[in-house]
Amino acid sequence: MANNVQVDAMGDACPIPVVKTLKALRELGGAGTVVTLVDNEVALQNLTRMAREKGCEVASEQLGEKRYRVTLTVPEGVEVADGEAEAATCLVPAERNLVIQVSSDAMGAGSDELGRSLMKAFVYAVTQQDELPATMLFYNGGAHLTCEGSPCLDDLKALAEQGVEILTCGTCLNHYGIADKLAVGEVTNMYVICQKLEQASHVVRP
């Protein structure tokens, strides 16, 4: 019985990373860890969802461009049925590209105080979804949410660790004088923002 199984799924298209990881879970045969290397965010999201459905703790780390390490902490009692690995499918289809665009630090119109509470709750709710967005775009007042002191920072960092791309408008950061306060994700520009929105299969605007 192994206590740690390594899986190399670099270059593998969906659902092969899930298939290989399920086989590794079966090989593990009990409590331990399974570490899978993948090269795309779709595979990362599929592995994350599968791990949660199996009752495993899951953590991911971006090691470089198009290189991710997904670690499943497996408790006793996790089972993989005969044929389950071979029957695995893409839980998050590759053709779906969900983008969330955030243009304010408050959600809705009326009370700004209420709106900020709603936005914090919305970002937390995103972390709990079965399908995570590919990208979250922050611009104008939304730029404050990715900076130091943001009430959403912990949740946004958790999303980034799971492979969600967090991008904040550099012009907006400079306008508000908070460019040196960015605490999660990367700085972007309007060209990239426009490109991400054009390429999205679905756009959500809270």
Side-chain angles (χ1 to χ4, degrees), residues 30 69 121 153 160 181 187 196:
R69 177 168 58 209
L153 207 51
K181 304 294 185 182
V187 177
K196 293 292 182 181

Side-chain angles (χ1 to χ4, degrees), residues 101-108 112 116 119 138-145 206:
Q101 62 176 109
V102 182
S103 61
S104 172
D105 63 350
M107 187 176 181
D112 288 342
R116 292 188 182 96
M119 183 62 77
F138 296 84
Y139 57 89
N140 209 327
H144 292 282
L145 296 178

